[in-house]
Amino acid sequence: MKLDDIKKLHQKKYRNQFGHFLVEGEHLVLELQKAAQLSPALLHSQLLVTDKYQHWQSPFETRVISDKQMAQIADTQTPPGIVAVAPVPDIPGALVDGERAIYLHEIQDPGNLGTILRTLAWFGGFRCLLSPGSVDPYNPKVVRSSMGAIFHVPLELDVSLAHLAERFARIACLDMDGVAVRNDAFAGHRCYVFGNEARGVPREQLQNFDLHMFNIPGSGAIESLNLATAVNICVYELMR
Amino acid sequence: MKLDDIKKLHQKKYRNQFGHFLVEGEHLVLELQKAAQLSPALLHSQLLVTDKYQHWQSPFETRVISDKQMAQIADTQTPPGIVAVAPVPDIPGALVDGERAIYLHEIQDPGNLGTILRTLAWFGGFRCLLSPGSVDPYNPKVVRSSMGAIFHVPLELDVSLAHLAERFARIACLDMDGVAVRNDAFAGHRCYVFGNEARGVPREQLQNFDLHMFNIPGSGAIESLNLATAVNICVYELMR
């Protein structure tokens, strides 16, 4: 890709158009290189480095650029000196045996999504479906907070509730009145739906589903858990 | 407190000196008011509002200030029009029966600490001990991301490992080589130690403890869970 196009990858519109996203800094580039050993499509990543990193070992096509060029590409205030341009992975096919889907409806916070991806990668066996209007997972902030997990978790973007209903008749979601998640029934689902940070699960839009409600029992002192915490506890419970 | 002193509460030094911290915005002030019904010490909070909020119902001493004054006090770019100055709670005494301590060593990220406090408040029965060098829990970013949980969780600041060793002979912490946290032995502790986001548990400094290692089993695809996620899963497991 041309440098002028790479600079545009800060914008979702161009990430979609070019099908690539930015991976900044030593740690994330190392994670990308590790992930490329398992997912050969990632070998088509391109590496941009400043002088300081000219001897960096990488299987990717590598180009040395100036500090000034790096500053224009990097998202962070202190440009890292090493940035990869990675291809957005192909959308995975149907769920395989034993695989489960975590559907996030209009998730907004990049840190929450990054943390959730990290948990899904940690446990394995999950894919992440995002509704229209969710934060873009290839946003540099999500990539950074995922700490490389984004290279490991199958992702589907812009999955509408109508589309979800075609694929999953039954879904599980969290609700104050639900059964405790430690209940055996919780694990008997293939799709788990979580709502937006502020508005929660869009219950009125879930009438086409056979909906099963579960609950993480608490003391009642506060109204809600953080969204990522709720997802992470559910995923842990499923893999326990 | 005088307005000039209140403005200084953005700095940890003055929060310590004055023993008060800032609580910004409708939602957090409501949570503070709710918490004050259970913890009368919080009734000594003071409320500052702009014209827009002059009819706000509150048990706190209330003062109407100008928009300009509010902008000088508020931490957020869009000043909320309503800010409380709350007293830092007294340090709680010894652990009561059934209470457990979560010790965070040099935690840095305000969002991580806020999320952890939210989880501890959700489940109840925990207090949070912070080592020297940890992020200040009364930092406006932590208060905000705790969503009011900070008013419910007993906190101890600047607890050194030497001090911890005087109080707890046995501690539990996470380690790759540990026993799975679902094991019954995990619940048999009163103090759980978690390390810094980047460096993990300071193992070389834990030689004075009878140390028990536990593990959240994963797939091996990535190196670590987010710190808040690890704490949250452990707390969930303890309360399951």
Side-chain angles (χ1 to χ4, degrees):
Chain A
M1 274 178 80
K2 286 185 299 181
L3 228 47
D4 281 341
D5 289 340
I6 292 173
K7 285 175 204 167
K8 294 180 184 163
L9 294 177
H10 291 287
Q11 294 174 61
K12 181 176 178 180
K13 175 173 125 184
Y14 293 106
R15 288 195 292 270
N16 285 344
Q17 183 178 326
F18 296 122
H20 283 79
F21 64 104
L22 294 170
V23 176
E24 297 190 20
E26 265 184 54
H27 176 77
L28 282 174
V29 169
L30 272 177
E31 289 294 322
L32 175 64
Q33 293 184 180
K34 265 196 329 203
Q37 295 175 5
L38 302 168
S39 311
L42 293 174
L43 286 172
H44 297 291
S45 300
Q46 187 185 341
L47 195 65
L48 303 167
V49 297
T50 57
D51 271 353
K52 188 185 157 195
Y53 285 97
Q54 60 175 309
H55 301 298
W56 181 267
Q57 298 290 316
S58 173
F60 307 149
E61 184 199 319
T62 302
R63 195 149 120 208
V64 180
I65 61 174
S66 70
D67 290 345
K68 198 180 150 196
Q69 287 170 321
M70 182 58 81
Q72 290 171 331
I73 290 170
D75 180 58
T76 39
Q77 284 189 340
T78 317
I82 180 165
V83 167
V85 180
V88 170
D90 288 338
I91 296 162
L95 289 189
V96 298
D97 263 3
E99 189 182 11
R100 290 188 174 103
I102 300 294
Y103 181 81
L104 304 174
H105 188 257
E106 298 180 1
I107 182 171
Q108 295 305 305
D109 186 87
N112 273 345
L113 182 53
T115 300
I116 290 169
L117 292 175
R118 222 168 138 181
T119 303
L120 299 183
W122 177 265
F123 289 108
F126 291 91
R127 75 170 58 175
C128 183
L129 315 185
L130 293 165
S131 76
S134 295
V135 62
D136 181 14
Y138 300 109
N139 167 331
K141 283 187 193 145
V142 179
V143 175
R144 210 177 311 135
S145 76
S146 88
M147 301 276 283
I150 192 155
F151 311 129
H152 297 278
V153 180
L155 275 162
E156 295 185 38
L157 274 61
D158 286 320
V159 180
S160 67
L161 286 169
H163 181 210
L164 198 71
E166 288 169 16
R167 294 169 60 185
F168 302 97
R170 271 158 67 86
I171 57 173
C173 67
L174 289 187
D175 189 277
M176 293 305 248
D177 303 321
V179 178
V181 293
R182 68 171 169 274
N183 196 289
D184 285 343
F186 185 58
H189 299 263
R190 304 210 71 188
C191 180
Y192 296 80
V193 172
F194 296 88
N196 166 281
E197 284 89 347
R199 296 184 299 279
V201 171
R203 215 152 315 157
E204 65 297 345
Q205 297 173 57
L206 297 178
Q207 287 157 354
N208 293 333
F209 293 90
D210 174 14
L211 204 59
H212 294 249
M213 301 294 201
F214 296 90
N215 175 28
I216 300 172
S219 70
I222 57 165
E223 276 168 34
S224 65
L225 281 166
N226 165 275
L227 168 63
T229 304
V231 177
N232 294 338
I233 286 175
C234 288
V235 167
Y236 168 72
E237 178 61 46
L238 291 171
M239 300 305 282
R240 193 172 176 270
Chain B
M1 272 179 83
K2 286 184 297 182
L3 228 48
D4 282 341
D5 288 340
I6 292 174
K7 285 176 203 166
K8 294 180 183 162
L9 294 178
H10 290 286
Q11 295 174 60
K12 181 177 178 180
K13 177 173 121 182
Y14 292 107
R15 288 195 291 271
N16 286 344
Q17 183 177 326
F18 296 123
H20 282 80
F21 64 104
L22 294 170
V23 175
E24 296 190 20
E26 265 183 55
H27 176 76
L28 282 174
V29 169
L30 272 177
E31 290 294 323
L32 175 63
Q33 293 184 180
K34 264 196 329 205
Q37 295 175 6
L38 302 167
S39 311
L42 293 174
L43 286 172
H44 298 292
S45 300
Q46 187 184 344
L47 195 65
L48 302 167
V49 297
T50 57
D51 271 353
K52 189 184 156 196
Y53 285 96
Q54 58 176 310
H55 301 297
W56 180 269
Q57 296 292 315
S58 172
F60 307 150
E61 183 199 320
T62 303
R63 196 151 118 206
V64 180
I65 61 174
S66 70
D67 289 348
K68 197 180 150 197
Q69 288 171 320
M70 182 57 80
Q72 290 172 329
I73 291 171
D75 180 58
T76 39
Q77 285 189 339
T78 317
I82 180 165
V83 167
V85 180
V88 170
D90 288 338
I91 297 161
L95 289 189
V96 297
D97 263 2
E99 189 182 9
R100 290 187 174 105
I102 300 293
Y103 181 83
L104 304 174
H105 188 258
E106 298 178 1
I107 181 170
Q108 295 305 304
D109 186 88
N112 273 345
L113 182 53
T115 300
I116 291 169
L117 291 174
R118 223 167 136 182
T119 303
L120 298 184
W122 177 266
F123 289 108
F126 291 90
R127 74 171 60 175
C128 182
L129 315 186
L130 294 165
S131 75
S134 295
V135 63
D136 181 13
Y138 300 108
N139 168 330
K141 283 187 193 146
V142 178
V143 174
R144 209 177 311 135
S145 76
S146 88
M147 301 276 284
I150 192 156
F151 310 129
H152 297 278
V153 180
L155 275 162
E156 295 185 38
L157 274 62
D158 286 322
V159 180
S160 67
L161 287 169
H163 181 210
L164 197 71
E166 288 168 16
R167 294 169 60 185
F168 302 96
R170 270 157 68 86
I171 57 173
C173 68
L174 289 186
D175 188 277
M176 293 304 247
D177 303 322
V179 177
V181 292
R182 70 171 168 274
N183 196 290
D184 285 343
F186 185 58
H189 299 262
R190 306 211 67 188
C191 180
Y192 297 80
V193 172
F194 296 87
N196 166 280
E197 284 88 348
R199 296 183 300 277
V201 171
R203 214 151 318 157
E204 64 296 345
Q205 296 173 57
L206 298 177
Q207 286 156 356
N208 293 332
F209 293 90
D210 174 14
L211 205 60
H212 295 249
M213 301 295 200
F214 296 90
N215 175 28
I216 299 173
S219 70
I222 57 165
E223 276 168 34
S224 64
L225 282 166
N226 165 277
L227 168 62
T229 304
V231 176
N232 293 338
I233 286 174
C234 288
V235 167
Y236 168 73
E237 178 61 46
L238 291 172
M239 300 304 284
R240 194 172 175 271

